[in-house]
Amino acid sequence: TSHEHVWIRIVVFLCLWHWAASQLAYSISEEVNKGTVVGNLAKDLNINVQELENRDLRVVSSYSKTYLNVNLRSGNLLVEERIDREELCPLTIKCSLKLQAVLSNPMTAHRIEVNILDINDNSPAFLENRHDLNISESSLTGERYLLPVAVDGDIGSNSVKTYKLSQNEHFSLDVQSGGEHGVSAELVLQKALDREKQSVINLILTAVDGGKPPRTGSLQIRVNIIDVNDNIPAFSKLLYKVRVKENATPGTLVIKLNATDLDEGMNSKILYSFIKRGNIDPSNIFDLNSETGEITVKGGLDYEETPAYEVRVQATDQGASPRSAHAKLLIEIVDMNDNPPQISVTSLMTPVKEDAELGTIVALITVSDKDGGNNGATSCKVVGSAPFKLKSNYKNDYSLVVDGLLDRESTSVYNVTITATDEGNPPLSSKVVITVHVSDVNDNAPKFMEPVINVYVKENSPTGSVIYTVNAFDADLDVNAKVTYTLLASSLKNIPVSSVLNINSETGDIINLQTFNYEELKSFQFKVQATDSGVPPLSSNVTVNVLILDENDNSPTILAPYSEHGSVNSENIPYSAEAGYFVAKIRAVDADSGYNALLSYHLSEPKGNNLFRIGTSTGEIRTKRRMSDNDLKTHPLVVLVSDNGEPSLSATVSIDVVVVESTAEIQTQFRHVPVKEDSFSDLNLYLLIAIVSVSVVFLLSLITLIAVRCHRTDGTFSRYSAPMITTHPDGSWSYSKATQQYDVCFSSDTLKSDVVVFPAPFPPVDGELISINGGDTFTRTQTLPNKEKVGHLYLSCKTSSCNHKIIASAISCVVGVDIHTHSAPLVEHQLGTSTPSLIPCPQDFQTV
């Protein structure tokens, strides 16, 4: 092949080198254009240009590229391909192309050396894009640090000639020439480093070659400042202030501490801790997370116990030589309204006199509240209507003072409730009860239960008897209520009452010092004074009416014209007398009164003789029927006059009733009457005087009893007529109906009483109770439904001194019952019981 032929020729040329050697030297810059003439071989080899083709001039080399070739027409050595010195001769200073110029005919070879001249076609370059330097921030100024060198493919003046460093405040550049690598550079520390200010310094190192113009290459230098534990931790604040509610539950976050360290790594890793100062150990109350710095509530907080905590905390880094910092934490406990006000009575002035003036201090009171602010602001007041009020002395101190009239007798002890309320939200309150005792003063006079006392005393009662016990009540206490009794000076028929009665000053017992005779003295009056032992003493009076009660100590007396027992009186009646013919009227009187003077008349006739009858209350003797032939002509009658006393006293009178045939005989006898009366004119005069005297005495007694003892009823009677008892001078009683107002008055203190019955305004309704003086009651009932004129009177007795028989008898008189002749029995019950006595009313009485 052609290639084999070329190599053979080259070998031949090399073999002939020793005998045909000659050398041509040329110089050419690298990177010249293709076709650039390097030199003229024909001229330099002294060969004619025309011979070049004949001798077949060729340029041969051992290079893989044909860098140079010869133009046979001109003999010029031309650049055939791009010549790159750095590619052709890497890492060498001298670079040349060694070629052979071969001629044939004869065969000759000439050595050609083309020196490749360098041009500045390469920039300096560093082997790495960035160079890191680790320099401790504790390095001293002047310390040096070798920098990488730049590589430039060019040589000579086109190679790296110097280095430049970017502007900075810490480093300078020291460029050194010579040495294996030519120019080198070092960093020189000019100013102390501070990683906390600048942890990384970025520099630009620029390599500059010597070309014209120069070419440069740069390297980024990263200076890492190595941390030294030269910074202490720093809290974000030297004083932390935080507020925590006192009711915060355990685990509640109080604050998260924040401390920083400008160092890095372990030098900046911070651990937090409490600093115990004195006896205060914050760890008992708060928890501190050493890594996060979070402080949380550990135990219970109480504003009232500790309103604020001053805690010292520490932050320590973890460097080889740890450094620490301190801060103060002021934890303010926020008060919650968790304490009610406390009320304390510092002084209690009790008892308080009931006549204490307004404003008198009763107690001193202090109110406190452990809370603060509005939660501890309190207001205090008295609850209710007690006659006391609170007076503010100064903040939270009060006086409980009298604010109204006190009256121990109505209220002796006051439980005063005081409440205190704070201004929290919601408000809390508390209360206390203060017991105030009221002491007695002598402001009440002794008081009798009634202004007038009626005392009933039996005549002939023995001396030394207690006729009544007065009792006065004093609402005060102790000495102020101790009562003594005295008789006020008065006279009785010019005789001092003290000679008739005496009173026990302590017990109030009234004792009679002499006996009383009703027929001489029926009543008298005096006053008793009750005086307490207070200072000054107070007293009051009561009027005592003493009513002498009659006893049945006088027998009935037969009045003229009939003599008493022992003499025989006669009356004539005609044989033709009809039934009901008036025969005679017996009159009698009794010095006693009431039931003791209530007389009844009865006939005592031979057995089988029923010709005559006598009015039980009137004393009128009348015939029961017409005469018959079988009747006697003379009828001896014995009239028995009995009073209603216990025991009953009586008198008798005998009358012979003579039956005559004609009325002429009767008239003849009547004509003898005046003669008979003339013979007894003096006696009749005396009897008339006696009757008038008895009547006057009775009327006076009646008026006295009405004025002193009788009371009006309040609407318990109607305006209808009611029976009225009337006493007659002859001692008999009768009843009538009237429309005036009357009362029933009688005694409840003795077994016997004067009974005076007055018609009432109107009758009571069924079952209505009518009060009778002395405490006895009776009940009236209406006519039965069957319209029969029959009623029943129910009586009851409430006092142990009353006598149902007395009441029953009195009522019987009121309703017109003939006690002696009425067949209905009186029912008596044991004294003091409330069982009613039943008395049937007469047929002619419709409503009782």
Side-chain angles (χ1 to χ4, degrees), residues 556-559 585-589 598-603 614-621 639-642 651 653 730-733 818 820-821:
T557 300
I558 306 298
L559 298 180
K585 182 177 178 66
I586 307 300
R587 292 182 175 87
V589 295
L598 183 61
L599 302 181
S600 58
Y601 300 86
H602 303 275
L603 285 178
I614 189 169
T616 304
S617 59
T618 62
E620 293 181 351
I621 301 174
V639 179
L640 177 66
V641 182
S642 301
V653 61
D730 61 359
S732 63
W733 289 44
D818 187 335
H820 292 285
T821 61

Side-chain angles (χ1 to χ4, degrees), residues 163-180:
Y163 291 92
K164 294 181 180 180
L165 187 64
S166 59
Q167 185 67 32
N168 69 94
E169 60 177 337
H170 292 281
F171 296 96
S172 65
L173 188 64
D174 183 17
V175 180
Q176 300 172 351
S177 60
E180 182 179 0

